[in-house]
Amino acid sequence: MCGIVGILGTHPVSGDLVDALRRLEYRGYDSAGIATVENGHLGRRRAEGKLRNLEQRIAEDPLKGLTGIGHTRWATHGKPTETNAHPHMSERVSVVHNGIIENFRALREDLKAKGHVFDSDTDTEAVVHLITEEFNRRGDPVAAVKAALPQLEGAFALGIIFAGHDDLMIAARRGSPLAIGHGEDAMYLGSDAIALAPFTSEITYLEEGDMAVLRRLGAEIFDAAGQPVKRTAVKSQASSLLVDKGNHRHFMAKEIHEQPEVISHTLAHYIDMAEGKVNFPDLGIDLSALSRVTISACGTAYYAGLVGKYWIERYARVAVEVDVASEMRYREPPLPENGLALFISQSGETADTLAVLRYCKEQGQRIASIVNVRTSSIARESDVVLQTLAGPEIGVASTKAFTCQLAALASLALALGRARGTISAELEQELVKGLLEVPRHIAEMVADERPYEKLAHDLSKARDVLYLGRGINFPLALEGALKLKEISYIHAEGYAAGELKHGPIALIDENVPVIVVAPEDGLSEKTVSNVQEVAARGGQIVLISNGKPDAAGCELLAHIKVPDAHAFTNPLLYAIPVQLIAYHTAVFMGTDVDQPRNLAKSVTVE
Ligand code: AGP
């Protein structure tokens, strides 16, 4: 969940390192640092908190050198302090690291006994002293790293520089992403292509277990067995324009407002607009014999998977199992012949999701992934990649990626239905027509945010908030609760409305707003009775529906009106109010909307 960068440059690198770190801040932002080789010596500047604090530190005490590494941190081991910020270093070696070294304590004790002095609480510092120990023993940096890597247990992406070696940087990857950039008499290293976009678009992605020896004239890559290997360079699509907020106050606001456009792009990718029917990539499996779809993801992507389950089971009549990746990876469920395993991930780098993908591949499943980053690890390890065309999503709280995931899932459900003969051509055309109206409806919904600004004031006083939904709206209740808690820090829970009487109703009093996602579909009467049960106990109700407020039969704290649309498309439309409720409540609370505390955009550690 950290961002790492390295430059073997032709001019002083500290400014470029910081610029690259700014493009990686979404991966973690609790501290940052850079280190360079200058006149044969290692120099370092680090700062706690946001990148601007590091910039200040460097302005006060500049760092020269044409070779350097940088890091923006999401703390795993050791508090987010300057002492624990990367790069870590000894006199001879400096390292930046993304991942978790699981045997760091044993290494630390062994290295301390050999006289190494530690000054941080991090797992990464054990890597520094292990490589230093091997360097002292062998006198050669490459041999030292080759000897050290097998002693590490756990996940890492490493960038390593050495005192006295101005034309050398070593990189290594196991379980965390790492890319090499090829420049003019310069070489680059980064957690992803976005960081390297201003320097080069020629990118080589290291594979699992790879180690790379970078010099200005090129890179030598060794595979997990230590054998020299060629990895092809690709042209990166990452834009060199640093994504900016436009005229929005936050990236999240911008990304909420981009949804009509990016959902259109995603739908156009899967639907033949002229024919009014899905035009889906070949999944490479006999769909008529498809036995089961297994979906695994994390967080918001998992909730998208839950929505997908309702659609696929209803329209393609095939059983769907959905589970959070952190559970499925250790549950190791038995999987059937002719099964499709589908992974949903905005970043394409979520460690738990990638782990389940590898398990399902071992179990002979056909692997498909719905990702927003085409060059990500999950995409590269899939048989079929189903892209969301949401564009870079910078806000940590996922919004446009979620609705684009839904657009892809809805299209997949129809493709499976047609292939399996479980939907007629007429029904397919009707449902596709409904999908094609979604961008227009969402544009209408994001045009007026005033109801949310008022509601935010009421919700900001809440101790807890309950979200309720029934049927395909239940995952939207879960998503709404996640959005609210992750950016406003107010505790919120999503519940199946039918579960209310099985416990959560005990929570209800005038201090617990209840947000009910209830389009007027076949289940709304039942949900209305839940609403009245809440009202009867003094609960404050926010009803999100396409009906009239008085349909609730009780007083409401607020009614959020959603346009009438085809019921098939409700999950896409009802995502908007729960996003805007969370956004405006967080703004009212004054939290860091785009970079909420303790979170990072891409969870590349388990
Ligand atoms: C969503 O708002 C959160 N930021 C988080 O739950 C996220 O959806 C989850 O970490 C999965 O990330 P991914 O889609 O990149 O795999």
Side-chain angles (χ1 to χ4, degrees), residues 72-385:
T72 181
R73 185 170 184 239
W74 184 86
T76 53
H77 292 77
K79 291 190 176 63
T81 61
E82 180 174 341
T83 309
N84 289 330
H86 300 211
H88 289 285
M89 61 187 270
S90 64
E91 214 169 290
R92 305 192 72 187
V93 181
S94 186
V95 173
V96 286
H97 167 224
N98 176 24
I100 293 180
I101 303 300
E102 294 175 4
N103 63 328
F104 83 96
R105 287 184 182 80
L107 290 171
R108 191 183 176 98
E109 291 319 308
D110 178 49
L111 290 159
K112 274 182 174 175
K114 291 173 178 164
H116 293 267
V117 177
F118 285 73
D119 60 24
S120 82
D121 306 324
T122 66
D123 54 336
T124 305
E125 200 179 357
V127 179
V128 171
H129 293 296
L130 179 62
I131 294 172
T132 303
E133 177 68 16
E134 294 296 349
F135 190 13
N136 294 341
R137 183 180 306 168
R138 300 161 190 275
D140 171 67
V142 177
V145 175
K146 281 188 172 177
L149 293 180
Q151 300 177 58
L152 302 177
E153 292 168 20
F156 52 78
L158 297 172
I160 311 160
I161 56 176
F162 298 82
H165 291 264
D166 169 74
D167 187 22
L168 174 67
M169 183 177 300
I170 297 180
R173 173 203 166 155
R174 187 198 299 167
S176 296
L178 204 49
I180 292 173
H182 304 265
E184 293 294 318
D185 298 333
M187 288 295 282
Y188 305 92
L189 179 66
S191 296
D192 58 29
I194 294 175
L196 306 181
F199 313 122
T200 177
S201 60
E202 193 179 345
I203 302 291
T204 299
Y205 291 94
L206 295 186
E207 299 296 336
E208 201 58 9
D210 281 0
M211 171 185 144
V213 179
L214 278 63
R215 301 185 194 282
R216 283 181 178 76
L217 293 180
E220 284 177 88
I221 301 176
F222 303 90
D223 65 14
Q227 296 307 308
V229 66
K230 283 266 172 268
R231 302 284 184 216
T232 45
V234 295
K235 274 281 173 237
S236 158
Q237 307 302 319
S239 148
S240 58
L241 295 175
L242 184 60
V243 178
D244 65 32
K245 290 182 266 197
N247 60 358
H248 293 281
R249 189 171 164 191
H250 299 102
F251 278 111
M252 184 177 177
K254 173 173 176 274
E255 289 153 9
I256 288 173
H257 282 262
E258 285 177 334
Q259 290 179 109
E261 181 191 354
V262 297
I263 291 171
S264 298
H265 296 164
T266 303
L267 288 172
H269 192 61
Y270 296 110
I271 287 174
D272 179 333
M273 302 293 196
E275 296 286 318
K277 61 184 188 178
V278 288
N279 175 19
F280 214 80
D282 177 8
L283 294 174
I285 185 171
D286 175 4
L287 295 178
S288 58
L290 182 63
S291 52
R292 188 207 300 179
V293 177
T294 300
I295 299 177
S296 193
C298 299
T300 289
Y302 164 65
Y303 302 143
L306 286 176
V307 174
K309 172 185 172 72
Y310 285 89
W311 276 331
I312 294 169
E313 289 186 341
R314 175 164 181 188
Y315 294 106
R317 306 309 298 159
V318 64
V320 179
E321 181 195 4
V322 190
D323 198 355
V324 288
S326 54
E327 286 300 311
M328 187 173 273
R329 73 180 289 186
Y330 297 110
R331 189 161 60 84
E332 295 190 344
L335 295 169
E337 300 274 313
N338 291 321
L340 174 68
L342 177 65
F343 301 91
I344 306 170
S345 176
Q346 187 285 130
S347 63
E349 297 298 349
T350 300
D352 288 322
T353 309
L354 185 56
V356 180
L357 183 154
R358 291 171 178 164
Y359 169 75
C360 291
K361 187 173 276 189
E362 285 163 18
Q363 297 298 311
Q365 301 299 290
R366 183 74 176 161
I367 306 295
S369 57
I370 295 177
V371 294
N372 200 37
V373 181
R374 180 67 187 77
T375 53
S376 61
S377 302
I378 287 173
R380 294 207 308 279
E381 298 192 25
S382 297
D383 299 317
V384 181
V385 179

Side-chain angles (χ1 to χ4, degrees), residues 298-301 344-348 350 396-398 405 482-483 486 601 603:
C298 299
T300 289
I344 306 170
S345 176
Q346 187 285 130
S347 63
T350 300
V396 164
S398 188
Q405 288 161 359
L482 175 63
K483 286 276 101 48
E486 70 175 327
K601 184 66 181 170
V603 182

Side-chain angles (χ1 to χ4, degrees), residues 424-470:
S424 66
E426 294 70 28
L427 179 56
E428 179 182 350
Q429 292 217 321
E430 175 196 322
L431 299 177
V432 163
K433 183 174 179 301
L435 283 176
L436 296 180
E437 288 168 2
V438 164
R440 172 173 60 83
H441 287 317
I442 291 180
E444 182 189 325
M445 295 171 77
V446 299
D448 181 8
E449 299 185 52
R450 282 168 304 174
Y452 302 98
E453 289 156 4
K454 180 188 172 313
L455 178 56
H457 181 270
D458 298 319
L459 292 180
S460 66
K461 295 178 284 199
R463 181 191 72 231
D464 301 285
V465 179
L466 206 51
Y467 285 73
L468 299 179
R470 195 180 278 266

